[in-house]
């Protein structure tokens, strides 16, 4: 199952000019637990989804009360770079959203 099939809301935005944050919200406990237990939503899994070093992932945080997660990683180019294709970071969640929660090949 892909993350975009599991999460109800996936959105990304800049967290300053050098970082992006991705918010994930899940509609029920089963899908939330599936995502939380997946290898995709670990610092190593996020780094693999974006093909960056693990130290570029600032963290993955979970909130069980509202069945949500936050992922933060360093951008590969500054949002102020004149060649930046996503000034607001609004589409930077796509590689993670397309990732598999079950470890199947993409």
């Amino acid at each position: 199952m892909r993350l975009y099939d599991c999460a109800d809301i996936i959105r990304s935005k800049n967290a300053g000019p050098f970082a992006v944050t991705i918010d994930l919200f899940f509609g029920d406990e089963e899908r939330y637990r599936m995502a939380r237990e997946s290898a995709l939503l670990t610092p190593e899994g996020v780094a693999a989804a974006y093909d960056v070093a693990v130290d570029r992932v600032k963290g993955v945080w979970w909130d069980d009360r509202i069945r949500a997660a936050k992922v933060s990683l360093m951008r590969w180019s500054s949002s102020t770079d004149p060649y930046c294709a996503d000034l607001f970071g609004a589409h930077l969640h796509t590689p993670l959203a397309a990732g598999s929660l079950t470890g199947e090949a993409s």
Side-chain angles (χ1 to χ4, degrees):
M1 174 183 276
R2 303 284 176 213
L3 180 58
Y4 58 67
D5 291 326
C6 184
D8 285 14
I9 298 171
I10 305 173
R11 63 185 180 205
S12 59
K13 59 188 178 266
N14 287 338
F18 304 108
V20 63
T21 189
I22 302 164
D23 298 324
L24 305 162
F25 296 92
F26 300 89
D28 63 59
E29 189 69 21
E30 180 182 352
R31 290 183 287 138
Y32 175 74
R33 290 286 162 208
M34 178 186 293
R36 185 166 180 147
E37 294 168 4
S38 76
L40 176 65
L41 294 171
T42 62
E44 294 79 11
V46 173
Y50 287 92
D51 195 25
V52 298
V54 172
D55 64 357
R56 306 266 314 161
V57 178
K58 296 172 76 176
V60 178
W61 298 275
W62 298 89
D63 190 330
D64 295 341
R65 298 169 298 166
I66 58 171
R67 294 188 301 262
K70 180 176 289 290
V71 175
S72 184
L73 68 152
M74 301 304 295
R75 292 180 63 119
W76 33 98
S77 68
S78 166
S79 64
T80 59
D81 185 305
Y83 297 104
C84 176
D86 191 350
L87 178 66
F88 301 108
H91 302 282
L92 297 179
H93 61 276
T94 305
L96 189 64
S100 172
L101 295 175
T102 55
E104 62 197 28
S106 56

